[in-house]
Amino acid sequence: MLLLLHWFGQYSCCLAGCIVSLHVDPVICEAHTGVLYTELSPQECLPSLVLIPTRPRLFSVCRNEDLKEMLESSKESLKLEAMKRIVGLIAKGKNASELFPAVVKNVASKNIELKKLVYVYLVRYAEEQQDLALLSISTFQRALKDPNQFIRASALRVLSSIRVPIIVPIMMLAIKEAAADLSPYVRKTSAHAIQKLFSLDADQKEQLIEVIEKLLKDKSTLVAGSVVMAFEEVCPDRIDLIHKNYRKLCNLLVDVEEWGQVVIISMLTRYARTQFTSPWKENNEKAFYESDSEEKKGHTEEKPYIMDPDHRLLLRNTKPLLQSRNTAVVMSVAQLYWHLAPKHEVSIVTKSLVRLLRSHREVQYIVLQNIATMSIQRKGMFEPFMKSFYVRSTDATHIKTLKLEILTNLANEANISTILREFQTYVKSQDKAFAAATIQAIGRCATNISEVTDTCLNGLVLLLSNRDETVVAESVVVIKKLLQTQPTQHSEIIKHMAKLFDNITVPMARASILWLIGEYCERVPKIAPDVLRKMAKSFTAEEDIVKLQTVNLAAKLYLTNSKQTKLLTQYILNLGKYDQNYDIRDRTRFIRQLIVPSEKSGALNKYARRILLAPKPAPVLESSFKDRDRFQLGTLSHSLNSKATGYQELSDWPAVAPDQSVRNVEIIEASGSDSEEESSESEKTSSDSGKSSSGSEQSSSESELEQKKKKKTKKVPQKKSKPTAADRYSEIPAVYRCVCLLEGPVTTSSFGPVKTYELLHHMTGKGLAAKYHFPRQPCLYQPSMVAVQVILSNSSDHSLEEIHIGDRSPASLSIHCFNTIERLEPEASVTVSMGIDFSDSTQAANFQLCTKEDQFSVSIQPAVGELLMPSSMTEQDFCKEQGKLQGMNETSATITMETANASSQAISKQVLSVANVGVVSSSQNNFSRFAGRTVSSGALVLVSLELKESSTALLTINTEKTVMASMLLRDIKQALTQA
Amino acid sequence: MIHSLFLINHSGDIFLEKHWKSVISRSVCDYFFEVKEKAVDPENVPPVLQTPHHYLISIYRGKLFFLSVVQTEVPPLFVIEFLHRVADTFQDYFGECSEGVIKDNLVTVYELLEEMLDNGFPLATESNVLKEMIRPPNILRSVVNTLTGGSNVGDTLPTGQLSNVPWRRAGVKYTNNEAYFDVVEEIDAILDKSGTTVFAEIQGVVEACVRLTGMPDLTLSFMNPRLLDDMSFHPCVRFKRWESERVLSFIPPDGNFTLMTYHVSSQNLVAIPVYVKQNINFFETGSCGRLDITIGPKQNMGKTVEGLMVTIHMPKVVLSANLTATQGNYTYDLTTKVLVWDIGKLNPQKLPNLRGSLSMQAGAPKPEENPSLNIDLKIQQLAISGLKVSRLDMYGEKYKPFKGVKYLTKAGKFQVRT
């Protein structure tokens, strides 16, 4: 270290020297050439500006000499010109490293463009010229202390980009300092620098993790994306660092710049898979996730799955990003929903993904790949958009094949005729590779959907007379596969193909025909030997694959019809014995031993017939995207279908959720001791709140905030920063409210045990039973709706199809229906969520629950307490609001409580069981207060309970909704008076 | 993330390379060239390739390949989107994104790339921020720069990067305050032989050109927002407001930008503005064929169809075309086998017709499939979905801006199968 310092001492001296000389030069010029200057300048300027650019072409050998001269001149413009040409050299990939000393001198130049170009050069060549690069370090060290944040940031950026191992300690120091900088921009740069340092020297990992941990706590949206990137690069396994920042990251997400969003979302996807339990119902899941459904079975039967509120928070906050203009963001949200959301919610991403298909060709390619994987598991998701995957003649070939893949995946009994009609046009396409792919697709449809097998087969046979060879060949191959599934009826087709055999030259197709004839030789006893005869003639000229099949055919015929074919077979086996290809020699030898009886061949001979003519299972034609779901969607690995370097597996859901409380954060008040830290804090929060308001809410406050910022002086930051934080609470309802619930002073049991009501009895519902409960979560679909979860179960002995919601009454009733459940197996049940706007009345919502065959009228009548949602409030606010709601708006009653309910905990418990309100912390022991708002109109509902002596109490409800008040009063009274 | 970028021209020369981490030899591109050779048509090169040590992600824009080298797992769309953003930026700066222009402005390009990525992670991609740091070239400035030795690099520091509206630069001033919005809709359709619609949908985009002083806060509302089925927004749009009130509320970037793109709900029937009667025949003998195309107006809401153009990619065997057009003129490119019939304005009284014979290579078999027709058209002052802007309000500034809305309907991927 000492040595190092010594070094720097020396170099900075040199450098200082340089700078001095640079500064002096122009002065001398001016002083000495005052008169001459005007005379000389035309000649001097002209060659430098006009002639010099042409000179290097004439004397390319001394070009660099030339540049060196220019760099050493005293004129800024000459230097700049030289640097521009040097950068041009770098851009073209030519070597300009020998100019390093001349260039590096200019690192401290005053001219910004010159300086930037020098930086470009420095970063490019520092690795090659490490010693000389050190010359520049002191300049950056000085700039790191500059009062201007941009200069600090750019110094750090360049310093950390110089890949010289010797300066690692200096970088480390600079990063640590920058991570604590007041400017979020500099902190962002330091997050980038972390990755650079890590790639230069991985031994610094521990120290860097400390910095990352610190930066993760940062509240600025500028920093969030970059630090998560650093986290992913340096320590992706340290998931524990995320816990405390999880909710903050979720909430900041909308306001982070687009690139950061992608990184954060993919990190949070991984995080969520380790921290939450699976929201997937096992009945849907069994096929794909056998391993963990086993463990969960007992667990889910006991109680319905309730989603961790943090899990919900992530889903809710990422949903708006589906509307992003950045395709990468949309894709990353889509994969997040795919991997994390309950099955019935995944389909909200469909539209957005289909929208991306309008984008550039490359984007289409990636999106289609992902849709292909998704459409295998969930046909229903993309079926309504089937027509968006229709192929145009102008699409690129790989786009066409992907679309074809998806169409094939989507095919079912209902739409197959449409799809086949569409395929008919594709088969005629001028793009023959695509036509061939279409034939394969038809084959797949034919095997998957038995109703159309015959139609497809007939269609394919027609294609055999097509003029194009690839089309015919592909048809042969596909027909072969199809025939294998039902060989009995189709000896005509085999005969037809045997006739075509002479005209087909594509080896794969010839081989397929030979195999078919061999396999079903007993059905075409006359034709088969003749084909073998022809093959014997042309054997030597055939491709290997055809030869192999010829040997097979010969062997099979020998076993079934040895009278006619014995000689032919022997001839072919002899030819094969001396073939150039060892596979064929090998096969020939094997077949000969197997079929021709001789003393050496053992017991196997007896079984030859059973070996060669064993019934063979039909090939399964399946999608090439079948196994792609082992990779996370949207990743490079998924796109390549092989594991890329640095790919992180997505873990399976844990069977039991890890501790949820790790994500709880205490609210830290900004209690700065020294003024500097304070002002940084206020700078941050004000910019934050301004941003979130611009990104999500409330436009008018924007300008006010601006003014506030201007007025703000350094002396009173604390006072100012608080109201802005409070503003945020009121400004951003839906997103933050959930967090407030968890972090703030309001406690609520809204996630506690719930009452379940019956919606439809299985006797009246012909086997379909429905129960519902109010999960007391903010409704996902619309804030004015009450969330209702309905558990549908099938107690009949046949499966129910197309369960959906039909007509409703009153007609104006707005309901957010659940997606149609295509199929519900016997004994299975499924939980769906709905949103109902009750408009703050307890009038029942009537609607029809329909299956494919039947319709059942059902109604949901909410208890008045379910029409509320908790509101966070301090005691003062409560009293203030209560003061405003006197007189008409107050309803009260004196009640006698059950003794068991006398404690304040018991009161809270009872009240919360009846109404979805929040507890307001109270300073007086004999008062219990609760606050809520009605879901639809947001009117305040304040409940207060004053304990009097001998278990009597005064229950007061203040709200402008007087009808609700009296009903609520009755309910609460009932709850408190009964045990 | 992104390790290096190579710009490659049509013929396969690397004319620019930029590395954000250590240098990767350009020989890595050989893998790409191999694939490119095989693919014949540059459009068919797969965007993601794997080599033993690197992954290559490329886009093809304006006859150029932007090839990026990646070493570790990264969402491919992330890179693709970024590369397109780079190409957009070049277009924005130089008016076009071609080899010549990039070579002419090599230094500016290099400076831009330097600012757009740090260590392979996107840093500044907002055009407003970039323009503050590096000024776009124009003739006047380059003359002045040559004489004074000035530079393109802005001497002000980019405040936009820090502000809570990173897309807008601070201190914007105009003498004429104006805000223009173009609602452009494209009809994507596939019609079959008989003229029935196989598939049709409308994609729209609201392009804006806003030149307003200060920090205006705009609210744009539609007469019938229910039409919109799916949309994506510029980051400046407040999504919550849209969710709750169906209005676009935003602080606009300065200059031109795309405010939103949308998709009109597929339940609505899409009006197809023209019908096509076509008859293309290739004869079995005599190696020739006939072609007869007539276009007429259909559902065009009483507006004139303009800029009508028909493009046909003929089969390879068609050697020449001998046609007569009653309106407009046609060209047949012998090398690419593309027949273009430029009609212009559609006159409902006298329908344009193109007919005549096609001569084919002697002895070649008759093509199996008739080529499909790609149709281009424009209808001014009409958004075919019926979307209408109802009003634009401005808050936060005192002056009265000039406001304008323009509608345009175009054919997108409009194909008639024959």
Side-chain angles (χ1 to χ4, degrees):
Chain A
M1 193 62 202
L2 255 178
L3 194 78
L4 203 73
L5 282 176
H6 181 63
W7 264 57
F8 285 124
Q10 266 189 344
Y11 278 117
S12 52
C13 285
C14 293
L15 206 72
C18 284
I19 295 164
V20 170
S21 69
L22 282 178
H23 277 292
V24 169
D25 264 336
V27 181
I28 295 171
C29 278
E30 273 175 46
H32 285 252
T33 56
V35 188
L36 284 174
Y37 192 71
T38 42
E39 279 181 277
L40 275 179
S41 55
Q43 281 107 356
E44 257 187 17
C45 282
L46 273 178
S48 68
L49 294 172
V50 183
L51 289 179
I52 286 175
T54 59
R55 219 188 280 164
R57 276 176 212 152
L58 298 171
F59 314 100
S60 57
V61 190
C62 51
R63 174 214 291 259
N64 289 350
E65 278 308 310
D66 213 74
L67 289 171
K68 209 177 271 178
E69 232 169 73
M70 285 166 74
L71 281 172
E72 268 152 25
S73 94
S74 57
K75 278 213 180 64
E76 290 272 288
S77 60
L78 272 184
K79 286 182 180 174
L80 193 60
E81 181 60 35
M83 273 322 291
K84 281 186 174 170
R85 278 163 45 192
I86 292 171
V87 168
L89 289 179
I90 297 175
K92 288 186 195 110
K94 295 197 175 112
N95 190 4
S97 59
E98 65 196 56
L99 290 164
F100 201 93
V103 173
V104 85
K105 272 184 212 159
N106 293 306
V107 74
S109 165
K110 285 270 181 298
N111 182 320
I112 293 185
E113 182 166 26
L114 182 59
K115 193 148 83 174
K116 279 193 172 169
L117 293 177
V118 173
Y119 285 176
V120 168
Y121 182 90
L122 196 61
V123 171
R124 170 68 179 76
Y125 286 111
E127 208 169 356
E128 294 171 25
Q129 309 252 351
Q130 307 213 346
D131 291 350
L132 284 170
L134 294 177
L135 272 171
S136 60
I137 302 299
S138 64
T139 321
F140 297 124
Q141 281 182 305
R142 213 172 312 135
L144 282 172
K145 301 266 184 288
D146 197 281
N148 186 318
Q149 49 181 341
F150 287 102
I151 293 179
R152 288 202 300 275
S154 94
L156 179 61
R157 213 180 130 190
V158 180
L159 178 68
S160 55
S161 299
I162 297 176
R163 300 179 55 81
V164 178
I166 207 164
I167 63 165
V168 164
I170 298 178
M171 276 198 215
M172 195 65 226
L173 208 67
I175 289 174
K176 278 185 178 162
E177 250 169 56
D181 201 285
L182 299 187
S183 152
Y185 186 64
V186 177
R187 296 200 297 273
K188 181 190 178 75
T189 317
S190 80
H192 286 211
I194 289 173
Q195 303 162 49
K196 298 182 204 166
L197 181 52
F198 181 68
S199 71
L200 187 62
D201 182 4
D203 293 343
Q204 305 293 321
K205 188 171 173 181
E206 287 314 311
Q207 286 196 59
L208 288 174
I209 291 177
E210 278 170 35
V211 184
I212 291 176
E213 193 172 357
K214 189 172 168 196
L215 283 174
L216 274 172
K217 292 195 182 110
D218 205 302
K219 290 197 183 66
S220 165
T221 50
L222 267 181
V223 185
S226 303
V227 69
V228 171
M229 188 64 226
F231 170 86
E232 291 281 75
E233 202 120 305
V234 178
C235 52
D237 45 343
R238 287 289 305 274
I239 219 99
D240 55 299
L241 296 181
I242 303 298
H243 290 322
K244 293 274 177 220
N245 302 299
Y246 173 82
R247 287 174 193 155
K248 185 197 71 195
L249 283 174
C250 285
N251 288 325
L252 285 183
L253 198 55
V254 188
D255 297 326
V256 175
E257 38 88 36
E258 17 186 20
W259 310 107
Q261 286 172 347
V262 178
V263 177
I264 295 178
I265 291 173
S266 78
M267 188 274 290
L268 289 179
T269 311
R270 270 194 308 118
Y271 177 86
R273 278 292 275 263
T274 60
Q275 300 299 319
F276 307 127
T277 50
S278 167
W280 299 334
K281 307 297 165 306
E282 53 189 299
N283 51 356
N284 303 337
E285 266 328 290
K286 228 165 233 169
F288 311 109
Y289 295 88
E290 277 165 57
S291 56
D292 58 359
S293 66
E294 290 284 303
E295 300 157 48
K296 271 185 358 234
K297 200 162 189 173
H299 173 76
T300 36
E301 271 170 8
E302 279 165 24
K303 53 178 182 184
Y305 165 80
I306 292 168
M307 188 181 273
D308 187 313
D310 285 331
H311 190 171
R312 175 52 69 199
L313 178 75
L314 176 60
L315 291 176
R316 191 175 36 226
N317 283 7
T318 47
K319 192 180 159 214
L321 297 180
L322 282 174
Q323 257 63 49
S324 170
R325 66 166 170 175
N326 188 318
T327 57
V329 175
V330 179
M331 189 65 232
S332 66
V333 178
Q335 67 84 21
L336 180 131
Y337 264 77
W338 179 257
H339 291 294
L340 298 182
K343 292 283 170 187
H344 58 96
E345 283 174 40
V346 178
S347 44
I348 62 165
V349 308
T350 314
K351 256 186 210 169
S352 308
L353 283 180
V354 173
R355 183 185 71 229
L356 299 190
L357 297 181
R358 281 279 297 178
S359 191
H360 300 283
R361 182 180 60 92
E362 296 83 7
V363 175
Q364 283 182 36
Y365 176 74
I366 304 291
V367 174
L368 286 170
Q369 278 188 329
N370 285 293
I371 292 180
T373 305
M374 291 164 119
S375 61
I376 292 175
Q377 287 188 24
R378 303 281 311 272
K379 281 186 189 190
M381 245 174 104
F382 292 97
E383 217 194 305
F385 295 91
M386 192 175 80
K387 290 192 171 172
S388 303
F389 303 107
Y390 279 7
V391 173
R392 289 160 205 283
S393 57
T394 40
D395 286 335
T397 306
H398 54 254
I399 302 282
K400 285 182 189 166
T401 12
L402 280 171
K403 283 185 171 175
L404 198 62
E405 177 72 41
I406 295 167
L407 284 175
T408 318
N409 290 340
L410 293 181
N412 59 23
E413 285 87 352
N415 59 21
I416 183 69
S417 59
T418 329
I419 289 185
L420 280 182
R421 205 175 316 130
E422 188 65 18
F423 281 179
Q424 268 170 16
T425 26
Y426 302 167
V427 168
K428 289 187 235 145
S429 164
Q430 291 174 30
D431 182 346
K432 290 305 165 199
F434 172 59
T438 311
I439 293 167
Q440 291 215 345
I442 294 176
R444 260 178 63 201
C445 289
T447 45
N448 295 341
I449 301 161
S450 51
E451 285 92 332
V452 293
T453 312
D454 285 341
T455 330
C456 290
L457 204 50
N458 290 337
L460 290 172
V461 171
L462 284 183
L463 285 178
L464 288 177
S465 45
N466 194 295
R467 251 189 306 264
D468 189 87
E469 191 158 322
T470 41
V471 172
V472 177
E474 201 65 45
S475 315
V476 168
V477 176
V478 173
I479 289 176
K480 177 211 137 199
K481 289 180 182 166
L482 283 183
L483 285 186
Q484 232 180 312
T485 56
Q486 36 179 196
T488 42
Q489 311 99 319
H490 298 298
S491 53
E492 279 308 310
I493 296 177
I494 299 176
K495 278 179 200 156
H496 184 68
M497 286 167 83
K499 266 183 231 158
L500 284 172
F501 186 70
D502 291 340
N503 301 325
I504 293 173
T505 53
V506 176
M508 189 60 209
R510 285 175 78 85
S512 293
I513 296 182
L514 288 177
W515 185 88
L516 264 180
I517 293 174
E519 188 66 24
Y520 306 115
C521 53
E522 280 158 288
R523 287 180 213 290
V524 283
K526 293 208 176 116
I527 295 170
D530 195 50
V531 172
L532 187 66
R533 180 184 61 81
K534 281 186 198 158
M535 283 315 295
K537 260 202 267 179
S538 63
F539 187 84
T540 45
E542 296 289 350
E543 287 282 330
D544 292 343
I545 179 172
V546 186
K547 286 180 182 169
L548 282 176
Q549 289 308 326
T550 314
V551 173
N552 269 348
L553 171 68
K556 285 171 184 169
L557 282 176
Y558 184 87
L559 290 174
T560 54
N561 185 3
S562 63
K563 213 196 293 168
Q564 273 184 302
T565 57
K566 190 169 180 186
L567 284 172
L568 276 173
T569 308
Q570 260 162 7
Y571 175 67
I572 287 169
L573 288 179
N574 280 336
L575 285 178
K577 193 173 171 185
Y578 300 108
D579 199 89
Q580 284 188 326
N581 186 300
Y582 51 77
D583 265 346
I584 294 166
R585 294 200 300 272
D586 219 30
R587 177 73 64 89
T588 316
R589 206 167 297 139
F590 163 72
I591 293 282
R592 188 190 291 274
Q593 291 302 320
L594 189 64
I595 59 170
V596 184
S598 67
E599 65 275 18
K600 262 189 277 175
S601 60
L604 218 51
N605 198 319
K606 275 183 261 171
Y607 300 106
R609 200 185 163 89
R610 277 167 69 187
I611 291 170
L612 281 173
L613 290 168
K616 297 169 184 72
V620 186
L621 301 174
E622 61 184 17
S623 167
S624 53
F625 283 81
K626 187 89 186 158
D627 57 343
R628 286 231 183 162
D629 57 343
R630 65 201 155 110
F631 296 112
Q632 189 176 353
L633 288 186
T635 58
L636 185 62
S637 308
H638 175 268
S639 197
L640 293 165
N641 199 15
S642 75
K643 201 167 171 174
T645 345
Y647 173 73
Q648 309 243 356
E649 291 278 351
L650 205 57
S651 69
D652 270 336
W653 297 101
V656 180
D659 187 13
Q660 300 180 4
S661 62
V662 289
R663 285 182 293 274
N664 290 344
V665 193
E666 312 83 60
I667 292 178
I668 307 149
E669 288 296 317
S671 55
S673 50
D674 62 319
S675 64
E676 203 178 64
E677 214 179 272
E678 248 173 66
S679 67
S680 89
E681 197 65 36
S682 74
E683 180 186 86
K684 255 188 316 191
T685 45
S686 66
S687 75
D688 276 357
S689 63
K691 179 120 205 256
S692 52
S693 73
S694 75
S696 46
E697 274 290 294
Q698 289 298 326
S699 51
S700 55
S701 69
E702 191 69 48
S703 54
E704 287 167 27
L705 273 173
E706 288 291 322
Q707 286 166 356
K708 261 188 213 168
K709 228 190 273 179
K710 275 179 209 155
K711 277 187 212 157
K712 199 182 294 168
T713 53
K714 273 208 165 183
K715 296 257 167 107
V716 284
Q718 227 186 336
K719 273 189 180 172
K720 282 283 174 186
S721 69
K722 266 193 175 168
T724 52
D727 282 351
R728 254 168 81 188
Y729 271 65
S730 52
E731 260 172 30
I732 303 146
V735 180
Y736 282 94
R737 191 157 293 149
C738 186
V739 196
C740 304
L741 285 181
L742 296 160
E743 293 179 346
V746 188
T747 54
T748 167
S749 68
S750 66
F751 304 108
V754 283
K755 267 185 222 161
T756 308
Y757 308 90
E758 183 145 88
L759 186 63
L760 181 66
H761 191 262
H762 67 87
M763 293 304 284
T764 42
K766 299 187 186 164
L768 177 68
K771 288 179 177 174
Y772 69 94
H773 65 266
F774 297 96
R776 293 195 175 177
Q777 289 163 346
C779 182
L780 190 69
Y781 313 107
Q782 226 173 336
S784 66
M785 285 182 171
V786 178
V788 182
Q789 279 194 343
V790 182
I791 304 160
L792 298 162
S793 45
N794 182 356
S795 48
S796 68
D797 51 359
H798 58 276
S799 57
L800 296 168
E801 288 178 350
E802 289 180 26
I803 304 173
H804 62 277
I805 289 178
D807 296 337
R808 53 199 81 164
S809 76
S812 62
L813 182 69
S814 81
I815 294 185
H816 188 282
C817 308
F818 53 86
N819 293 339
T820 302
I821 298 162
E822 277 153 26
R823 200 178 175 85
L824 191 62
E825 299 294 339
E827 300 304 314
S829 70
V830 61
T831 310
V832 291
S833 44
M834 308 172 48
I836 302 180
D837 192 344
F838 287 105
S839 328
D840 294 344
S841 85
T842 51
Q843 202 187 355
N846 300 310
F847 55 92
Q848 283 185 322
L849 200 60
C850 310
T851 63
K852 203 175 180 184
E853 294 93 17
D854 298 298
Q855 298 179 334
F856 312 106
S857 294
V858 293
S859 77
I860 292 182
Q861 180 154 34
V864 65
E866 303 296 347
L867 301 176
L868 304 176
M869 55 186 181
S871 170
S872 62
M873 209 173 263
T874 62
E875 197 176 356
Q876 289 94 324
D877 287 342
F878 186 92
C879 296
K880 209 172 97 194
E881 294 293 339
Q882 200 175 23
K884 289 183 197 163
L885 293 166
Q886 296 290 342
M888 283 277 289
N889 295 331
E890 188 173 277
T891 320
S892 62
T894 311
I895 55 173
T896 317
M897 288 195 294
E898 186 65 25
T899 39
N901 288 339
S903 73
S904 64
Q905 271 107 6
I907 291 173
S908 303
K909 199 180 149 206
Q910 290 296 340
V911 172
L912 293 179
S913 74
V914 172
N916 187 16
V917 287
V919 181
V920 176
S921 57
S922 166
S923 55
Q924 293 147 287
N925 258 339
N926 55 342
F927 267 103
S928 301
R929 296 189 171 97
F930 306 90
R933 281 176 187 280
T934 62
V935 173
S936 286
S937 59
L940 265 183
V941 177
L942 307 171
V943 180
S944 57
L945 194 75
E946 191 187 353
L947 277 177
K948 300 271 173 60
E949 64 280 3
S950 70
S951 68
T952 54
L954 179 67
L955 178 64
T956 316
I957 295 179
N958 300 69
T959 177
E960 50 194 37
K961 303 258 170 190
T962 44
V963 184
M964 282 182 96
S966 59
M967 288 160 90
L968 192 60
L969 191 74
R970 192 190 61 209
D971 287 357
I972 295 178
K973 191 173 163 186
Q974 199 176 11
L976 289 172
T977 47
Q978 287 169 1
Chain B
M1 290 221 143
I2 298 167
H3 208 296
S4 303
L5 174 73
F6 294 96
L7 295 192
I8 300 167
N9 68 11
H10 202 58
S11 51
D13 303 321
I14 304 170
F15 66 93
L16 185 141
E17 62 178 71
K18 169 94 183 106
H19 309 275
W20 283 275
K21 300 182 186 181
S22 50
V23 179
I24 291 179
S25 157
R26 54 167 68 190
S27 61
V28 75
C29 298
D30 293 349
Y31 295 98
F32 175 78
F33 293 136
E34 216 172 277
V35 176
K36 184 174 163 266
E37 279 304 304
K38 248 186 255 164
V40 188
D41 187 357
E43 293 265 314
N44 284 344
V45 179
V48 186
L49 295 172
Q50 189 171 18
T51 76
H53 301 288
H54 307 280
Y55 306 98
L56 307 178
I57 301 181
S58 61
I59 64 162
Y60 182 66
R61 277 265 302 251
K63 302 207 167 156
L64 296 180
F65 284 103
F66 289 67
L67 176 78
S68 66
V69 184
V70 174
Q71 269 185 322
T72 50
E73 172 65 52
V74 59
L77 265 188
F78 184 96
V79 181
I80 289 171
E81 176 78 23
F82 177 78
L83 292 178
H84 276 295
R85 211 58 81 76
V86 171
D88 289 340
T89 310
F90 290 168
Q91 197 138 21
D92 191 23
Y93 262 73
F94 314 123
E96 59 171 329
C97 176
S98 69
E99 187 186 357
V101 153
I102 291 175
K103 275 185 172 166
D104 287 348
N105 297 288
L106 206 58
V107 175
T108 315
V109 165
Y110 224 68
E111 284 167 344
L112 278 173
L113 290 175
E114 183 73 23
E115 291 299 337
M116 288 180 85
L117 281 180
D118 183 14
N119 196 37
F121 190 77
L123 192 64
T125 48
E126 280 298 335
S127 138
N128 267 287
V129 171
L130 283 171
K131 280 188 178 157
E132 263 184 287
M133 290 193 279
I134 302 154
R135 296 200 195 107
N138 61 31
I139 293 174
L140 183 69
R141 189 172 305 130
S142 58
V143 169
V144 171
N145 284 352
T146 325
L147 293 177
T148 61
S151 72
N152 279 332
V153 173
D155 39 13
T156 51
L157 293 155
T159 46
Q161 247 169 341
L162 292 177
S163 80
N164 38 34
V165 276
W167 52 85
R168 190 173 177 88
R169 61 193 174 92
V172 185
K173 272 212 178 77
Y174 288 104
T175 41
N176 294 326
N177 290 296
E178 0 173 73
Y180 297 104
F181 295 88
D182 287 12
V183 179
V184 183
E185 296 196 334
E186 292 192 358
I187 309 170
D188 284 1
I190 302 177
L191 306 184
D192 74 0
K193 215 175 216 162
S194 57
T196 41
T197 311
V198 176
F199 163 74
E201 62 179 12
I202 299 172
Q203 305 282 349
V205 54
V206 180
E207 300 276 2
C209 174
V210 177
R211 299 169 189 282
L212 296 175
T213 308
M215 272 282 171
D217 194 324
L218 303 180
T219 307
L220 183 77
S221 49
F222 295 103
M223 303 274 270
N224 35 12
R226 269 161 189 261
L227 279 175
L228 308 180
D229 188 30
D230 177 57
M231 46 266 139
S232 71
F233 300 113
H234 189 275
C236 68
V237 176
R238 299 181 179 100
F239 185 69
K240 284 272 153 61
R241 283 280 305 272
W242 174 259
E243 284 271 273
S244 56
E245 299 166 52
R246 296 272 143 176
V247 294
L248 294 172
S249 154
F250 55 99
I251 294 174
D254 185 38
N256 296 315
F257 65 103
T258 303
L259 182 61
M260 76 182 288
T261 59
Y262 61 87
H263 173 257
V264 173
S265 114
S266 40
Q267 280 89 23
N268 296 33
L269 281 179
V270 177
I272 305 290
V274 292
Y275 70 84
V276 182
K277 270 192 201 155
Q278 42 76 27
N279 189 11
I280 302 177
N281 272 325
F282 295 108
F283 301 123
E284 204 69 58
T285 52
S287 55
C288 66
R290 284 203 64 77
L291 178 144
D292 189 341
I293 304 171
T294 312
I295 298 189
K298 209 173 164 188
Q299 301 143 311
N300 52 11
M301 321 277 172
K303 307 264 182 187
T304 346
V305 178
E306 293 170 40
L308 198 57
M309 189 148 83
V310 181
T311 312
I312 310 172
H313 291 261
M314 287 289 179
K316 296 246 153 43
V317 292
V318 176
L319 288 180
S320 66
N322 184 14
L323 310 167
T324 41
T326 58
Q327 188 187 342
N329 43 17
Y330 79 95
T331 51
Y332 183 62
D333 189 325
L334 296 175
T335 47
T336 56
K337 310 280 181 196
V338 178
L339 176 76
V340 180
W341 178 26
D342 191 346
I343 304 168
K345 209 180 249 178
L346 179 66
N347 179 2
Q349 267 74 52
K350 196 165 152 281
L351 299 181
N353 169 276
L354 179 74
R355 75 171 79 189
S357 62
L358 303 167
S359 69
M360 293 192 297
Q361 211 171 329
K366 136 186 153 113
E368 263 174 71
E369 191 199 28
N370 285 336
S372 52
L373 276 51
N374 294 299
I375 294 183
D376 250 326
L377 56 87
K378 260 186 214 155
I379 305 173
Q380 303 281 1
Q381 292 310 326
L382 172 74
I384 196 103
S385 69
L387 188 76
K388 273 220 160 67
V389 172
S390 76
R391 56 184 298 150
L392 177 75
D393 301 306
M394 187 180 75
Y395 306 96
E397 295 288 336
K398 294 273 183 294
Y399 56 84
K400 266 216 148 132
F402 181 81
K403 304 175 264 192
V405 182
K406 206 168 80 185
Y407 300 93
L408 178 67
T409 297
K410 288 198 287 192
K413 296 171 179 166
F414 195 110
Q415 207 161 73
V416 183
R417 291 177 177 166
T418 56

